[in-house]
Amino acid sequence: MEDDPLADLADLIMNVGRLVRARAPEGPGTVSLTETERQVMRVVDLHPGAAPSAIASRTRLQRTNVSATLRSLEDKGMISRRSTTGRGIAVHPTRLAQSNLQLLRRAWSRELGGILGDDLDAVRDCNALLARLEQRLTDEN
């Protein structure tokens, strides 16, 4: 196989994400989400009050899929939808969504802390790189 560090990075990102998700806590106090629901919740958590069309744009999902996912998330108690001026809708995370995310973040931190130890400078550098990559991929239309 040829040396391609960018392809290797993409492959590692996807695999590490899968491995972290596989270790997510389940059971009482957690709300299980599908991959599409996770994508939508990430946007809602980062951009509370976003319109469904903005969520579709940021996730690169079809508007109809976002609408169905929002209904599912609303049924699970993870989001609320509020009317804005005109015919607009603003999507917000609920307290349940916020507590679910806190629970997941604590579990992720414990899990990765046990593996990476205290090399937080390297973690921050990696976070900055991945955040920049996410932002540029999200901004591309």
Side-chain angles (χ1 to χ4, degrees):
M1 199 180 297
E2 70 181 76
D3 180 34
D4 188 341
L6 296 175
D8 292 344
L9 176 63
D11 184 51
L12 285 166
I13 288 168
M14 290 185 291
N15 196 48
V16 168
R18 182 187 61 77
L19 292 168
V20 169
R21 278 193 307 275
R23 293 174 178 231
E26 293 183 6
T30 62
V31 178
S32 180
L33 300 178
T34 67
E35 181 61 32
T36 303
E37 289 170 337
R38 280 192 292 272
Q39 286 179 276
V40 169
M41 280 309 304
R42 176 153 175 80
V43 173
V44 172
D45 288 330
L46 293 174
H47 306 281
S53 58
I55 294 169
S57 176
R58 287 183 180 276
T59 58
R60 305 236 171 179
L61 295 170
Q62 291 186 8
R63 180 72 163 83
T64 55
N65 292 347
V66 169
S67 293
T69 302
L70 290 175
R71 280 192 298 279
S72 175
L73 288 168
E74 197 168 36
D75 289 346
K76 291 180 177 184
M78 298 294 284
I79 62 154
S80 65
R81 293 189 264 192
R82 301 180 196 138
S83 295
T84 61
T85 57
R87 293 176 22 149
I89 298 290
V91 181
H92 295 272
T94 63
R95 287 179 200 232
L96 175 61
Q98 292 166 348
S99 67
N100 196 60
L101 182 58
Q102 287 174 347
L103 189 140
L104 288 171
R105 289 178 60 84
R106 282 193 301 271
W108 294 336
S109 184
R110 278 192 311 272
E111 188 75 32
L112 295 182
I115 296 167
L116 297 173
D118 60 356
D119 193 4
L120 294 183
D121 288 335
V123 171
R124 285 185 185 97
D125 289 344
C126 183
N127 289 348
L129 172 68
L130 292 173
R132 194 169 66 239
L133 181 60
E134 179 186 44
Q135 183 65 48
R136 289 190 180 160
L137 288 169
T138 301
D139 287 346
E140 287 181 6
N141 284 324

